[in-house]
Amino acid sequence: NTSYDRFWEGRKLWGRLVNVSRTFARQTETFIGPLDGEDAPDSSIQRRAVHRTLILRQVAYVHAVRMHLRGEDNYDTLAAWIDPGELTAMRTEANPPQVLMRGTGVRLRDLWRRGLIDTLHLPVLDASLTENTTIQGACERIKSTPIPFVYTVLMHRIVAVYCLALPFGIITAVGPLTPFVVLMIAYAFYGIDAVGGEIEDPFGQDTNDLPLQGLSTMIEVNLKEWIQDDEVPPLHTPRDHVLN
């Protein structure tokens, strides 16, 4: 139950990340603009460029969170969406995703100073960035706080003692079937124990871990379709009934 609670909380957190990414994309297009010289022919092009930059930064952030949780370091795959200086900082800082959040916050501040974001809308956009950070922090809490070792050892010993003592308690009731009954019960107990160990870290890359690659790609597809990007990747599909 403890392991499944961690697994399900991780899934709910990534569900929130899906929602906040879509919300930030909507807020970006709704709250940012008009640009200076609205009547100029290129004003709408400039506005779309600003929207595109911020939305693709959110895509990069989602992928960076996935890599951070899984201990990956292939941040070069994000080079098309972020500045070279930020990419360098991501390789050196302990928390690479927050490099992107910091950069996005600076961009929102600059847009506000230029009068492109209303004073009432800036806190709304910043709240989305704060929600990103809150979700990431909660995921990091799960990853960095495993089930206490003493708890796991105690459960293993209790199950072992119970299975060893079980034949003496049921032999008079089931007679010669005692070995089979004990085997079935022991299999169930040790199977549940093994499942707990398998899903304890929901952000890994094992078969039964959360499909972070599929979730982050889904966010990328949703946001890129929103801005009508030319390079929309295909959604991930299960291979051998497994979605990574």
Side-chain angles (χ1 to χ4, degrees):
N1 287 340
T2 301
S3 295
Y4 185 76
D5 285 345
R6 293 162 56 87
F7 179 89
W8 183 236
E9 183 182 2
R11 181 61 185 89
K12 289 191 294 184
L13 288 169
W14 270 80
R16 285 170 56 190
L17 187 57
V18 171
N19 293 339
V20 75
S21 297
R22 294 168 177 168
T23 299
F24 181 71
R26 174 181 55 79
Q27 292 171 341
T28 297
E29 292 200 338
T30 304
F31 295 154
I32 298 178
L35 292 174
D36 295 334
E38 178 65 20
D39 296 334
D42 61 345
S43 60
S44 61
I45 297 176
Q46 294 174 1
R47 185 167 58 252
R48 287 197 298 271
V50 171
H51 296 165
R52 175 184 174 83
T53 297
L54 291 173
I55 290 174
L56 289 180
R57 288 183 63 83
Q58 178 66 22
V59 172
Y61 173 75
V62 170
H63 284 295
V65 170
R66 168 180 55 80
M67 297 176 196
H68 179 58
L69 293 175
R70 288 186 164 180
E72 302 171 347
D73 59 357
N74 52 332
Y75 296 107
D76 289 339
T77 57
L78 311 179
W81 304 327
I82 61 179
D83 295 338
E86 289 179 307
L87 190 60
T88 300
M90 291 178 69
R91 296 193 189 99
T92 57
E93 295 195 16
N95 199 318
Q98 286 308 298
V99 174
L100 298 178
M101 280 294 97
R102 185 168 66 240
T104 300
V106 169
R107 283 165 173 77
L108 292 179
R109 179 201 63 192
D110 292 343
L111 290 169
W112 170 73
R113 286 178 174 176
R114 292 169 55 192
L116 307 181
I117 301 178
D118 188 271
T119 301
L120 296 177
H121 291 160
L122 182 62
V124 178
L125 289 162
D126 186 71
S128 293
L129 302 189
T130 301
E131 180 68 6
N132 276 326
T133 303
T134 300
I135 293 170
Q136 179 188 337
C139 291
E140 291 172 341
R141 168 176 51 81
I142 295 174
K143 182 175 179 61
S144 62
T145 311
I147 297 175
F149 180 71
V150 63
Y151 179 87
T152 304
V153 170
L154 179 62
M155 294 303 298
H156 287 171
R157 291 178 179 176
I158 289 176
V159 171
V161 171
Y162 177 82
C163 291
L164 289 174
L166 182 61
F168 303 101
I170 66 173
I171 189 169
T172 56
V174 299
L177 295 178
T178 298
F180 302 101
V181 174
V182 171
L183 180 63
M184 292 171 55
I185 296 176
Y187 177 81
F189 277 23
Y190 279 103
I192 293 173
D193 183 62
V195 169
E198 179 71 15
I199 64 175
E200 178 182 356
D201 178 12
F203 306 123
Q205 300 188 55
D206 294 335
T207 300
N208 295 298
D209 290 333
L210 291 174
L212 300 189
Q213 182 71 56
L215 289 170
S216 55
T217 301
M218 181 185 68
I219 295 174
E220 178 182 349
V221 169
N222 292 163
L223 270 58
K224 281 188 171 182
E225 287 179 342
W226 194 307
I227 60 176
Q228 298 179 347
D229 191 86
D230 295 331
E231 299 181 359
V232 178
L235 289 170
H236 278 231
T237 56
R239 295 183 178 180
D240 297 326
H241 309 287
V242 176
L243 183 64
N244 66 350

